[in-house]
């Protein structure tokens, strides 16, 4: 069967801080067209969200009047239209009911809310990951799960019988960037090539921080000292920095909750492989859920609830 | 007694990465003149070290031909003349013998070496702090001591009977800067005012990280979430960021060594007061040694050994 544009049902958009992804979806969830760009919230806040969305719709010749479901930073206070936060404990099934319509626009656009944990001692927020959880499939609807969602701000979410009971954010990805570019380690890791979870420096760093997380900022400096005293190659330094931060995240998350119930890893590509390798150093073997698929399935799930066919 | 320039014996220079301090010293260690500027290694590497030094000497009309003792980054590989590293264990008394003369200059300039811990599992370096240790006084010459030297790269040094047996660096100050300026926390702490060790957010953050150091990067994100959900003021956010990083450093340092022998804090001004407050949260009350005095006394000690009067 060849899907045609004429069969389009709705448009799904994952609108992050620095990235924009759009899918034109047909009957039965078939992807008819896809767009990926750097028109994230930061860019769109200047250009105009409606203008950015329309330009991508025009580029794929999307039929006029199709409804659009959006998740991510477009719903932040500094985004397009604020789509608040649903407070924990929050049933995944309730997320869609809190979608906020965009007013004054010539089509039906709804933005999904984020989640908030208001306890002042553990205040936390997420936005975008709720849609991935919604799209992770039936696995989360029964039993207890601990879901690791790595990224710029990694989220660790506790889900019990389809209800998000709590979560914690770790600044892993953003710290990796800031430390690589804006500290003395920039001289050491700046020219480093790519590495993966089998790199000995990565695995060793994960194990070292697992055994003593308190030494985190000392382990970071050891990357610089290793270069000065032992000519540590840039790629090894980068792998050690990454292993230290990812290992610290896992050690921290596991220090407050038990992963015994069932551990899921929602990630894609090389990042997913890196986290799997780090989990192996903790003797953990999470169920892998593809993050790209999850967000699209979550948007589809919301669209089906909002606009039954 | 009024000291005169005529009585000048030597010049002492503490040449850091971004700071330059110079003292004109007379008999009995009297300070006859002082200069402080931003002509650190980074600037001097472009302008020329000899030019920078001479301009400061001219500014205080220093007599020609006075010898100059230098410590700090001027002796780094990317500095003026490399003054290598003395390997641990290193007797404080041996530092001066490893001073390196600057060749091809019309006066006697000696640069003191740094210290290196070459064990690949704990590779570490310091430069400048060895001179503060040398100037800390007789206290370090007998007994066992753990010396905390806070800063951009905080150093924790173990000294036994006047011998540096080992040390660890923590990237506390540099991480505070990088996180404040180059992560999402910049929106939260950027406009924060000054605070001190009595600030409840600082003390609470130290205690929280003391109780679970593994949660470090989660505690960092809580500063952002606290602002979003509970309007955490910028100054409180800054105090929480500082308390998290300083508390993590202390927890890390104490995780590998015993502070029972005798804990010294080499620091000056507000930073010293902040660390004392953080130590109090660990029920520790270190002996305070002024860092500015210590470096000057260390340079004086080296000068006396090199150029006996």
């Amino acid at each position: 069967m060849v899907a045609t544009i004429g069969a389009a049902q709705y448009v799904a958009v994952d609108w992050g801080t620095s990235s924009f992804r759009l899918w034109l979806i047909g009957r039965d969830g078939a992807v008819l067209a896809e767009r990926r760009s750097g028109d994230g919230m930061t860019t769109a806040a200047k250009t105009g969200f409606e203008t950015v969305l329309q330009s991508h719709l025009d580029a794929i010749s999307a039929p006029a009047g199709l409804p659009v479901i959006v998740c991510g930073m477009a719903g932040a206070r500094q985004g397009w239209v604020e789509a608040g936060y649903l407070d924990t404990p929050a049933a995944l099934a309730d997320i869609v009911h809190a979608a906020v319509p965009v007013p004054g626009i010539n089509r039906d656009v709804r933005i999904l809310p984020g989640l908030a944990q208001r306890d002042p001692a553990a205040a936390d927020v997420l936005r975008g990951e709720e849609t991935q959880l919604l799209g992770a499939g039936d696995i989360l609807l029964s039993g207890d799960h601990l879901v690791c969602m790595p990224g710029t701000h990694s989220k660790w979410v506790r889900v019990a019988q389809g209800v998000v009971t709590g979560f914690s954010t770790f600044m892993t990805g953003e710290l990796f960037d800031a430390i690589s570019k804006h500290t003395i380690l920039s001289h050491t890791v700046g020219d480093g090539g790519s590495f993966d979870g089998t790199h000995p420096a990565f695995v060793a760093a994960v194990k070292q921080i697992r055994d003593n997380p308190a030494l985190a900022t000392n382990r970071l400096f050891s990357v610089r000292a290793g270069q000065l005293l032992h000519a540590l190659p840039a790629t090894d330094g980068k792998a050690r920095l990454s292993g230290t931060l990812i290992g610290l995240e896992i050690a921290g998350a596991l220090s407050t909750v038990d992963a015994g119930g069932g551990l899921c890893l929602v990630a894609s590509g090389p990042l997913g492989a890196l986290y799997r390798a780090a989990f192996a150093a903790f003797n953990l073997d999470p169920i892998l859920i593809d993050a790209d698929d999850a967000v699209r399935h979550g948007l589809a799930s919301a669209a089906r609830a909002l606009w039954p066919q």
Side-chain angles (χ1 to χ4, degrees), chain A:
Chain A
M1 185 192 96
V2 176
T4 65
I5 290 291
Q9 298 293 307
Y10 64 92
V11 173
V13 177
D14 176 15
W15 212 322
T17 302
S18 57
S19 69
F20 175 95
R21 288 186 302 172
L22 176 151
W23 298 273
L24 182 65
I25 306 292
R27 289 192 187 281
D28 304 322
V31 175
L32 307 178
E34 181 176 352
R35 300 276 297 169
R36 290 177 181 243
S37 88
D39 295 332
M41 178 190 69
T42 310
T43 305
K46 292 170 195 152
T47 317
F49 286 87
E50 189 173 349
T51 307
V52 169
L53 175 62
Q54 192 57 52
S55 74
H56 285 282
L57 292 172
D58 291 347
I60 56 168
S61 305
L66 274 186
V68 180
I69 180 77
V70 180
C71 72
M73 293 304 286
R77 199 172 300 165
Q78 64 274 47
W80 190 356
V81 172
E82 187 172 4
Y85 297 105
L86 212 59
D87 290 356
T88 56
L92 292 174
D94 287 343
I95 291 169
V96 64
H97 303 306
V100 170
V102 174
I105 176 174
N106 191 21
R107 65 170 76 233
D108 189 356
V109 180
R110 315 274 183 110
I111 305 182
L112 293 169
L115 299 182
Q117 178 169 281
R118 295 191 186 268
D119 171 9
D124 217 326
V125 292
L126 60 74
R127 192 177 282 285
E129 289 86 0
E130 75 295 324
T131 304
Q132 294 183 327
L133 293 168
L134 193 59
D138 293 342
I139 186 176
L140 299 183
L141 299 183
S142 62
D144 289 349
H145 304 273
L146 179 61
V147 186
C148 168
M149 313 176 84
T152 302
H153 298 152
S154 294
K155 308 290 176 180
W156 284 70
V157 187
R158 300 180 292 285
V159 185
Q161 276 79 36
V163 175
V164 174
T165 55
F167 60 92
S168 305
T169 303
F170 295 80
M171 282 181 62
T172 308
E174 188 166 32
L175 283 176
F176 180 85
D177 258 20
I179 292 169
S180 299
K181 290 178 189 154
H182 302 291
T183 71
I184 198 165
L185 296 198
S186 63
H187 305 298
T188 306
V189 308
D191 299 328
S194 61
F195 63 92
D196 65 21
T198 65
H199 196 299
F202 177 80
V203 177
V206 172
K207 290 182 176 171
Q208 277 179 312
I209 205 73
R210 174 199 69 191
D211 293 343
N212 190 352
L215 283 180
T217 67
N218 171 246
R219 298 305 310 153
L220 296 178
F221 188 78
S222 81
V223 176
R224 172 65 172 167
Q227 182 211 25
L228 285 173
L229 296 183
H230 302 295
L232 182 78
T235 304
D236 291 43
K238 211 166 151 184
R240 195 191 287 187
L241 171 59
S242 172
T244 300
L245 291 171
I246 292 176
L248 181 62
E249 172 188 330
I250 296 175
L254 298 180
S255 74
T256 58
V257 290
D258 180 15
L263 181 65
C264 297
L265 172 62
V266 179
S268 298
L271 190 65
L274 213 50
Y275 269 74
R276 288 199 74 166
F279 276 119
F282 283 80
N283 289 316
L284 289 169
D285 184 18
I287 296 167
L288 185 62
I289 297 171
D290 186 85
D292 287 347
D293 291 349
V295 72
R296 194 160 46 75
H297 292 158
L299 289 163
S301 166
R304 279 196 304 274
L306 287 167
W307 307 299
Q309 291 170 17

